[in-house]
Amino acid sequence: MLPRKRQVGGEVVVEEGEPDFANESPIKKLCTDESKGSDCKNTGNSNISSSNSSSSGKPPIMALGNGNSGDIDEDLHSRQLAVYGRETMRRLFASNILVSGMQGLGAEIAKNLVLAGVKSVTLHDEGVVELWDLSGNFFFTEDDVGKNRALACVQKLQELNNAVLISTLTTQLTKEKLSDFQAVVFTDISLDKAIEFDDYCHNHQPPISFIKTEVRGLFGSVFCDFGPEFTVLDVDGEDPHTGIVASISNDNPAMISCVDDERLDFQDGDLVLFTEVHGMTELNDGKPRKIKNARPYSFTIEEDTTNYAGYEKGGIVTQVKQPKVLKFKPLREAVKEPGDFLLIDFSKFDRPPLLHLAFQALDKFISELGRFPVAGSEDDATKFISLVTSINDSSADGRLEEIDQKILRHFAFGARAVLNPMAAMFGGIVGQEVVKACSAKFHPLFQFFYFDSVESLPTEALDPSDLKPLNSRYDAQISVFGAKLQKKLEDSKVFTVGSGALGCEFLKNLALMGVACGQEGKLTITDDDVIEKSNLSRQFLFRDWNIGQAKSTVAATAAALINSRINIEALQNRASPETENVFDDTFWENLDVVINALDNVNARLYIDQRCLYFQKPLLESGTLGAKCNTQMVIPHLTENYGASRDPPEKQAPMCTVHSFPHNIDHCLTWARSEFEGLLEKVPAEVNAYLTNPSEYTTAMKNAGDAQARNNLESVIECLDKERCETFQDCITWARLKFEDYFSNRVKQLTYTFPEDATTSSGTPFWSAPKRFPRPLVFSVDDLSHLQFILAASILRAETFNIAIPDWVKSTQKFADAVNNVMVPEFQPKMDVKIVTDEKATNILPASIDDAAVINELVMKLEKCREQLPPAFKMNPIQFEKDDDTNYHMDVIAGFANMRARNYGIPEVDKLKAKFIAGRIIPAIATSTALATGLVCLELYKVLAGGHKIEDYRNTFANLALPLFSMAEPVPPKVIKHQDMSWTVWDRWIIKDNPTLKQLLNWLKEKGLNAYSISYGSCLLYNSMFPKHRERMDKHMVDLARDVAKAELPSYRNHFDVVVACEDDEDNDIDIPQISIYFK
């Protein structure tokens, strides 16, 4: 590989051996768009100052990929780029933000903005850190008590992203100072002052986006004012919907039908553009047309096509996304006329208007008495309720008929507390609103948002004395939940699975809440992954010097810095059947709750089954870009995670990917497959053969199938005619591959199926969605052709351990070397079979003489081996998407785009190719924070105990829209038999090492006739087999060991069997799993 090294500041230093084509640069600099007058930021040194220093890097001589990426560190921000795109990121990089009020909520907002990579964040707070603040702000420690809050946050906040300029204001804020910012956020401000500041921001030119947000105990609010006219450029962040046209009628209105391989996502009123329509070319005029009568596979347009030319074939229809203009009211008006509130929980449809009054009343209470209501004080609660009543009575419009005094009492008692889960949740929501304000990406909150989680309170009434402060870091939390629940939190035993983005947020939240911080408590976290650079934009407990270290260990150390009392054990084991000796029965039985922080469904299903088995609560969550969801799995109350599944993702048929692609995803799927075949699998096969030739060839002979034949042919080709000894050989290989893939194969395909070919039924073969391909003509003057050859040559040289010569840095010399390659003339063949069956799963044709051919190939392979130098070994290349200097994505993007060019499919840049081929999951810090905040609000309920199913909440949220949907979980399915009932949560236990006869009798007493008993996949008993009756007096554990060959480890005291039963009327009864205890 070309030598290239990174300096601390993120720039790339070019050394000898760098190729020499000046066009674009894979250098990643954390630098805002200079054309907008923004400053560059050095990523190596702290930026706690009022000015930024520049970083610069010498561009490589031939750059691959896309030329617009020089201002964004794609290695760091790849997951965020997948959500926002480059343009939004550039706007963020140019944005200056003020966050006022650095208690827990302000800290969470600032954290999310710094991770997002805004240009600067100014922290404002005139107050000092109190012990009370430590339950909300993860930057504070006991040593910070007495220091200014803003100053206490700066250093740790700066560590999250050295590219962001962080400064502080510790004196009184004037409205004129707000003109320095694109957006301002206030988390602790009086209503009068907020109105004054908002008036200034609303009338400023250009308007300054103003956000007022508060977290008061289990209640929270957000108000947004982005100015008189705010244009949202992209309301949902989704890619424009598309469809492939199958027919268009000459009618008024015209009916458009699309191919039925995918449902259309168009809605009535959408605007769409037509391209590539043959025949009715009038629709290709670039004019957006409005959709009516949208159906799954058809729609009409408001157009008379009666006199247009008749539709022949082809056509792509693409949604045109429209900007939306929002007219925000200033706070002064909106307080009196709030308009519609965003409803998030249908069981609380009347709650937002009440909370609108409550937050105004709290402001009045503080202004009159100079303090918050005291937790547990009935006098203060009464005073607060009277203020709410007074404001309500003076409301001309929207006066509430009924005031819920119980809710208001809870509000008053917890009003001073900033709880960490609430701060995390609102930090995610408000952080996203700031991104919207700066970038015009996604639809803003319009304009008030209210939320409460009173269900998180203990079910029994709290004694006022239990709410009094204990002079501890948890006093704020105690003022809401009481000291008894605090003790339960501290003594809880928690298993957190995963320490990535979700895991980091969870650990921070748990440490601040005091979970597992008592003498009896323990938090176990496990993750088998190590830290990569791309993690750092979300997984905020990690720093760049942690890259390569174990995630769980670093995260646990960071959690202990947040709260030194946390009892945490970090493991690097993947929770799976293979590690049940680590996570054994005793481990599971001692747990109070399990929190999943996983990124794949299979792991979630495994943990779900373990929680079902041991009857442990499971708190589940996940994110996808701006979306997140949470699911509470509570023993005997709710269904389990695996009870409902999303439908599997639709896979493109094999023949579509290999011969008939019609979108860029198909091209990229094919490109990654070819990359792995050529550069990883074939070299690995070569090494497998060379390591033990006789064993390898015997295995191939024994297999004797098309796959074995193909493996041998690939190894022979690699070691014979395609073996490379010099870099020029690698160039030759790459140039011939280009000709084969993008010219010869296309010529063969169109020879076999000409443009006018028809199917057996007489319809055109090249009907939608098939696209007729055209071969490419190679030219060194086409930079994309040359870039592909260069990247492919370099990786080919890597597989053969060939050094890269200095001369490749010369454009002309490299082009000459490519031109020197002799490319043979291609002649299409008559008898080539090309798979067109969409149900086919294998493109390798089977042959009756595979075995005979394999014997010949083995002999040929032996001759090839004799020609190899001693100790010859290849270097297989494993695809790594997150290193932009390794040429992997250059080859894959080149493969995909050349193929797209063959088929007339729009090409993509390297970044987009990375998202699709690398299967990158879009991720941002804000949705992660929201999800974990919501889960921790549920954790209070789980550890308190006694809550009913209607107290729990599952949530789906989409911060882009914004949409919040909360509902109580679904109960488990109940099975009834006689006077018994059970659910998936039940497990029947039979002790004292029973015999088979005793087990059958035990079931018979329940009115159940067992006809089949199995352990794993082995049948221990079946009533149809007479010989099985001889097993009646044998102990079940002996049957498991003797018949099923069960290996029961010494720590295991039981095993499980699955029993099939009937009732006395021969109806099958689905009974729970049975655990047989033999010790």
Side-chain angles (χ1 to χ4, degrees), residues 252-263:
N252 185 16
M255 164 75 79
I256 291 87
S257 297
C258 292
V259 297
D260 59 3
D261 65 335
E262 283 186 25
R263 292 170 66 94

Side-chain angles (χ1 to χ4, degrees), residues 237-438:
E238 304 291 339
D239 288 334
H241 303 310
T242 62
I244 300 171
V245 177
S247 67
I248 306 174
S249 68
N250 291 87
D251 213 339
N252 185 16
M255 164 75 79
I256 291 87
S257 297
C258 292
V259 297
D260 59 3
D261 65 335
E262 283 186 25
R263 292 170 66 94
L264 299 173
D265 290 313
F266 299 134
Q267 296 180 350
D268 287 4
D270 281 354
L271 293 177
V272 293
L273 278 179
F274 288 87
T275 53
E276 302 182 27
V277 176
H278 291 251
M280 197 180 286
T281 55
E282 293 90 341
L283 294 181
N284 294 333
D285 57 7
K287 187 177 85 176
R289 291 166 166 84
K290 188 178 282 189
I291 280 182
K292 289 171 63 180
N293 303 320
R295 300 280 185 272
Y297 302 104
S298 67
F299 58 88
T300 60
I301 54 173
E302 294 178 336
E303 188 151 353
D304 183 358
T305 59
T306 309
N307 297 319
Y308 288 5
Y311 171 79
E312 293 174 9
K313 65 174 184 177
I316 305 289
V317 57
T318 307
Q319 178 191 19
V320 179
K321 300 193 79 170
Q322 295 293 101
K324 181 177 180 180
V325 176
L326 296 174
K327 298 187 177 183
F328 287 87
K329 288 191 284 192
L331 180 59
R332 182 185 300 279
E333 296 174 21
V335 166
K336 297 170 188 168
E337 299 173 4
D340 294 332
F341 297 105
L342 182 64
L343 189 60
I344 63 173
D345 187 336
F346 284 101
S347 68
K348 301 179 181 179
F349 68 91
D350 56 350
R351 193 67 52 82
L354 179 64
L355 298 187
H356 186 64
L357 297 174
F359 277 96
Q360 292 177 66
L362 179 62
D363 178 77
K364 206 163 187 179
F365 186 104
I366 295 168
S367 67
E368 289 182 9
L369 288 133
R371 62 173 175 81
F372 284 95
V374 174
S377 167
E378 292 296 342
D379 290 344
D380 281 2
T382 303
K383 163 80 172 167
F384 174 72
I385 291 168
S386 70
L387 288 171
V388 173
T389 305
S390 170
I391 295 169
N392 185 48
D393 291 342
S394 64
S395 300
D397 299 323
R399 182 181 178 280
L400 301 185
E401 295 300 319
E402 197 176 326
I403 297 287
D404 189 332
Q405 296 198 6
K406 185 180 177 183
I407 295 295
L408 295 178
R409 193 168 165 273
H410 290 316
F411 190 108
F413 282 3
R416 187 187 165 205
V418 177
L419 299 173
N420 164 257
M422 291 289 291
M425 174 190 172
F426 275 79
I429 293 169
V430 175
Q432 195 63 56
E433 293 308 303
V434 175
V435 171
K436 295 173 187 179
C438 298

Side-chain angles (χ1 to χ4, degrees), residues 1037-1056:
V1037 66
D1038 295 330
L1039 286 177
R1041 285 177 172 144
D1042 298 342
V1043 178
K1045 308 301 180 193
E1047 294 180 9
L1048 301 172
S1050 57
Y1051 57 81
R1052 181 63 55 80
N1053 57 8
H1054 73 277
F1055 66 98
D1056 304 312

